[in-house]
Amino acid sequence: SGSVIIEEGITEIGNEAFNMCYRMNSLSLPDSLLKIGDKAFYACVDLDHLVIPPSVQEIGQSAFVSCGCSSLGITVPEGITELKENTFASCKSPQINLPTSLVKIGSSAFHGGAFESISIPEGVTQIGAGAFRGNKVLKSIRIPDKVTVILDSLMTECVNLETVILPENITAIGLEAFADCRSLEEINIPKAVRSIQAYAFKNCTSLTELTLWDTAAITGVETFQGCENFSVLKIVVTRD
């Protein structure tokens, strides 16, 4: 086991600075810190507690992949506008608190995590492909109103996901977006949706009911493959 204390006055932690420091279990970051580089704490699997100082303005891609962080939740500081690719992928923290300043969530940002709950701020306009893929304990999620496209594999293999709330202005649902969400029983597809891609709801074995507008085109193959309990497909006719 080991602890790392970074002294006050340090403003940046460089790329891969503590990459694969497997036995580091304690980390203290200074209030002077502004930037955390790419893969800075990649695979610090024994890191049990993470406090990101409010001074931090930028977090690099894959910065905290596979960090333990199991004892307490993670709080991302206000002022951060983007979480980059794989930032918190495979983290074992049960909770993450995101800032109201957040605008963009990168691809696979939370892939394979153990987050029990994630509240996405209303200011978010873009969520990357596979952002929540493989979060096996996540039970519910609400996509903010400013997001217009559900990208590929967004929630794939979220096997305990029961509730998804989509905003009314979603126009497309991507490839395998909700594939293998085996606890999802129903979902309302907004009127604005024009395209649903292949395997979007593949193996959603608990899905029994789906409502679609007649303006939606199921453009992909085997969209509902393996939905063995699917019994009701309601088509709402547009009367505009």
Side-chain angles (χ1 to χ4, degrees):
S1 64
S3 62
V4 173
I5 299 173
I6 299 177
E7 295 183 353
E8 288 294 334
I10 297 295
T11 60
E12 179 177 346
I13 296 173
N15 296 344
E16 303 186 31
F18 297 94
N19 184 15
M20 298 184 181
C21 290
Y22 300 120
R23 296 186 179 278
M24 181 173 66
N25 60 12
S26 175
L27 173 66
S28 177
L29 299 175
D31 290 334
S32 58
L33 191 62
L34 300 178
K35 180 180 178 180
I36 297 173
D38 298 347
K39 294 186 177 181
F41 298 97
Y42 185 96
C44 293
V45 294
D46 280 352
L47 183 60
D48 191 50
H49 180 46
L50 174 65
V51 177
I52 303 173
S55 57
V56 171
Q57 300 172 3
E58 181 180 350
I59 300 174
Q61 67 180 24
S62 304
F64 297 102
V65 169
S66 296
C67 286
C69 305
S70 58
S71 63
L72 293 172
I74 299 168
T75 296
V76 179
E78 283 293 336
I80 296 285
T81 59
E82 178 182 1
L83 289 182
K84 298 179 181 178
E85 179 180 350
N86 292 310
T87 304
F88 293 103
S90 299
C91 278
K92 303 309 177 188
S93 174
Q95 184 177 357
I96 188 163
N97 302 306
L98 301 177
T100 58
S101 56
L102 194 63
V103 174
K104 180 179 179 181
I105 296 174
S107 60
S108 300
F110 305 105
H111 178 202
F115 302 107
E116 296 172 2
S117 64
I118 299 176
S119 179
I120 306 174
E122 285 300 317
V124 170
T125 62
Q126 182 178 342
I127 304 175
F132 303 103
R133 180 172 185 154
N135 272 262
K136 298 186 185 303
V137 295
L138 188 65
K139 289 190 174 182
S140 66
I141 198 160
R142 180 184 181 277
I143 306 298
D145 291 341
K146 293 180 181 179
V147 175
T148 59
V149 177
I150 300 297
L151 292 179
D152 298 350
S153 302
L154 182 69
M155 309 296 301
T156 301
E157 298 172 352
C158 291
V159 294
N160 281 303
L161 186 69
E162 299 174 354
T163 304
V164 176
I165 300 175
L166 299 177
E168 290 302 314
N169 58 346
I170 287 289
T171 60
I173 297 175
L175 179 75
E176 296 186 336
F178 298 99
D180 294 298
C181 291
R182 298 178 182 272
S183 299
L184 187 64
E185 295 182 2
E186 62 178 294
I187 187 168
N188 292 322
I189 307 298
K191 183 178 180 180
V193 169
R194 294 294 182 267
S195 167
I196 301 176
Q197 296 295 319
Y199 312 113
F201 296 96
K202 178 183 177 182
N203 292 333
C204 291
T205 53
S206 296
L207 187 65
T208 59
E209 185 172 336
L210 184 73
T211 299
L212 284 175
W213 291 81
D214 64 348
T215 49
I218 299 176
T219 57
V221 298
E222 300 178 342
T223 303
F224 301 104
Q225 182 186 22
C227 296
E228 57 193 36
N229 291 306
F230 190 46
S231 58
V232 178
L233 174 61
K234 182 179 179 182
I235 305 295
V236 180
V237 178
T238 306
R239 300 188 183 279
D240 293 348

